[in-house]
Amino acid sequence: MGLFDDDFYSTKVSRRNEWSVKGKKFQNGYRRRQAPSWFLPAFGGAAIMLIVLALFRLGSGPESAAVPVTANGAAVASGNGSDTQKLSSDSVVKAAERVGPTVISIIGSQKEGEKAGARGSMGLGSGVMFQRSGDKVRIVTNNHVVEGFAQLDVVTASGERKKASLLGRDQMTDLAVLEIEGSGIKSVAEFGDSDTLRAGETVIAVGNPLGLGYAPTVTRGIISWPKRTIPVSLGVQGDYDWEMDVIQTDAAINQGNSGGALVNLEGKIVGINTLKVADMGVEGLGFAIPINSVKPIIETLIKDHKIKRPYMGVVTQDLQSFTGTEVLKLPADVKAGIIVLDVTGPAKDAGLKTNDVIVQLDTKTVDSTLALRKYIYSQKKIGDKITITYYRGGKKATTTMTMAELKDR
């Protein structure tokens, strides 16, 4: 599964097999959920296109089935005959015609650090033109489509190639905004309301899988579930350290579809396609970021060019992930918490040290790094105070720190 130049949705088992406290090594004996080996970003390098086709036989299966729908997208009972099928088909065609011209291909070349003109890595993804600004047009796509590339080009549905500039990107939400010169662009997409989606509702996925051509590919399916929470990994270790709310769909989403559109029968964007499940015997498991989650992020990326988040300045691991932690001298009733492996910035200023075990933030009990991150990102702002309860050498203590701004890595 190592064919794709992207680890944002990595599900590799952690390579951190041991750690030490004051020179004593502890084997990683945690009872972590086994990471599924089948999450793949819907993004791939052009150079490996034929290999991907051979391994996954992409596009060799039938189209995803759609339930019959009325003109307003409401599901109807089966058995209504050819009239209902024709209505559904006509609605799909109209939606595809409306959104198709707004979906573009994104080509990433010249990895950051590579010399200009050198034959290096290339990447292929999709994007959606959603806004005009003066003589420019803005595009929303996935962060993992553009991350690491020094040069980005866009190919429109008419085949015109334009250079793109990166306005901003955010790894945690996997979103990015590009800007291109707007001459010749006749239409931009309209956003819908992802909060109104229902299981069984017909949708189409529009993107550029595998670089098959500049004209976007359309696949049809249904909303399998409108809001599914999936674990993701933001780092190279492969540990789950964030959760993302996504739309689950059985519309075919393949490598190169990342950043493309998930569209309702009104031709409005309800999601940004981001990843799929690819494993033996698994079909029709694709995921998109809900458009209502996308809107505030891209507005901030346009304004600030990044998402500003608070941070504490700690590197941590979950206490319950390890055995042999008796050296920490924790009370017998402390079974969960967060071991501090390193401190910097605000945490260091507040007096936290390596081997401290955090068990509470303000009045909120925290038992994992994920819980810590979700609390500070949802409840705290840069400059806010936070009270930390922790154990050191078996003794309980508290300290207060001021949240600083998380800087780009």
Side-chain angles (χ1 to χ4, degrees), residues 18-26 327 354-355:
E18 61 183 21
W19 62 289
S20 63
V21 175
K22 296 182 179 179
K24 182 176 180 179
K25 290 186 177 181
F26 294 87
V327 69
T354 300
N355 306 333

Side-chain angles (χ1 to χ4, degrees), residues 42-43 124-127 142 205-210 217 219 252-261 273-274:
F43 169 74
L124 177 68
S126 303
N142 287 139
V206 186
N208 186 20
L210 303 172
T217 294
T219 55
I253 297 174
N254 295 293
Q255 282 73 27
N257 271 119
S258 266
N273 299 324
T274 189

Side-chain angles (χ1 to χ4, degrees), residues 22-183:
K22 296 182 179 179
K24 182 176 180 179
K25 290 186 177 181
F26 294 87
Q27 295 301 316
N28 188 335
Y30 56 90
R31 301 176 297 279
R32 190 186 302 275
R33 283 185 304 173
Q34 289 297 312
S37 61
W38 27 257
F39 275 112
L40 289 177
F43 169 74
I48 59 167
M49 186 187 308
L50 294 180
I51 300 176
V52 176
L53 284 167
L55 290 179
F56 295 102
R57 299 184 182 181
L58 299 176
S60 62
E63 290 278 4
S64 301
V67 298
V69 295
T70 64
N72 64 5
V76 298
S78 61
N80 287 347
S82 59
D83 289 344
T84 301
Q85 294 175 2
K86 185 177 186 300
L87 176 60
S88 176
S89 178
D90 288 347
S91 298
V92 169
V93 170
K94 290 178 181 178
E97 289 176 343
R98 180 175 180 180
V99 77
T102 71
V103 177
I104 50 85
S105 299
I106 298 173
I107 302 170
S109 58
Q110 190 183 333
K111 279 283 191 178
E112 293 175 354
E114 291 179 346
K115 292 182 178 180
R119 290 176 62 91
S121 303
M122 292 188 67
L124 177 68
S126 303
V128 181
M129 298 185 292
F130 71 95
Q131 186 182 80
R132 295 184 186 276
S133 177
D135 60 352
K136 304 291 185 180
V137 168
R138 289 166 178 162
I139 297 164
V140 59
T141 186
N142 287 139
N143 171 72
H144 73 259
V145 169
V146 302
E147 185 176 18
F149 289 107
Q151 181 173 323
L152 297 167
D153 293 277
V154 160
V155 181
T156 67
S158 64
E160 184 178 5
R161 184 162 178 154
K162 295 173 177 281
K163 289 197 175 296
S165 58
L166 179 64
L167 288 186
R169 65 179 184 86
D170 182 55
Q171 183 192 39
M172 188 158 289
T173 58
D174 197 24
L175 291 169
V177 177
L178 307 180
E179 195 170 67
I180 60 172
E181 189 270 323
S183 64

Side-chain angles (χ1 to χ4, degrees), residues 167-400:
L167 288 186
R169 65 179 184 86
D170 182 55
Q171 183 192 39
M172 188 158 289
T173 58
D174 197 24
L175 291 169
V177 177
L178 307 180
E179 195 170 67
I180 60 172
E181 189 270 323
S183 64
I185 304 299
K186 297 180 180 179
S187 60
V188 294
E190 182 179 354
F191 291 159
D193 184 358
S194 55
D195 288 343
T196 63
L197 293 174
R198 297 165 298 166
E201 181 176 344
T202 298
V203 288
I204 60 175
V206 186
N208 186 20
L210 303 172
L212 295 177
Y214 52 79
T217 294
V218 178
T219 55
R220 183 178 72 169
I222 62 171
I223 298 295
S224 303
W225 196 251
K227 188 176 181 180
R228 184 78 68 192
T229 300
I230 59 172
V232 295
S233 173
L234 304 175
V236 298
Q237 296 297 332
D239 298 329
Y240 294 146
D241 42 22
W242 191 241
E243 290 179 338
M244 180 177 283
D245 291 331
V246 290
I247 301 165
Q248 181 185 336
T249 178
D250 71 346
I253 297 174
N254 295 293
Q255 282 73 27
N257 271 119
S258 266
L262 190 69
V263 185
N264 64 18
L265 291 185
E266 295 177 354
K268 296 180 180 181
I269 311 298
V270 294
I272 300 299
N273 299 324
T274 189
L275 72 156
K276 64 175 289 184
V277 171
D279 198 13
M280 187 70 68
V282 177
E283 292 184 15
L285 282 176
F287 300 93
I289 307 170
I291 203 63
N292 287 9
S293 299
V294 171
K295 292 175 188 177
I297 298 298
I298 60 178
E299 288 173 3
T300 302
L301 291 178
I302 291 169
K303 177 184 176 183
D304 300 329
H305 310 297
K306 64 178 181 178
I307 305 299
K308 297 179 181 179
R309 293 189 175 90
Y311 96 115
M312 294 173 55
V314 290
V315 177
T316 63
Q317 274 280 24
D318 300 348
L319 173 67
Q320 57 272 30
S321 296
F322 302 95
T323 58
T325 56
E326 295 83 2
V327 69
L328 296 173
K329 300 178 181 179
L330 294 171
D333 60 340
V334 178
K335 304 294 185 182
I338 309 163
I339 303 173
V340 177
L341 303 182
D342 194 16
V343 293
T344 186
K348 188 174 183 180
D349 294 341
L352 286 178
K353 295 181 179 181
T354 300
N355 306 333
D356 288 346
V357 179
I358 299 172
V359 294
Q360 187 173 302
L361 300 177
D362 294 330
T363 59
K364 171 73 173 180
T365 299
V366 290
D367 58 3
S368 67
T369 297
L370 175 59
L372 178 147
R373 187 174 286 116
K374 291 179 73 173
Y375 179 77
I376 63 173
Y377 288 167
S378 63
Q379 303 297 322
K380 295 295 178 179
K381 297 179 181 178
I382 298 165
D384 284 355
K385 301 286 187 181
I386 185 170
T387 300
I388 302 165
T389 302
Y390 63 97
Y391 285 90
R392 178 183 296 167
K395 296 181 179 180
K396 194 174 186 178
T398 62
T399 186
T400 301

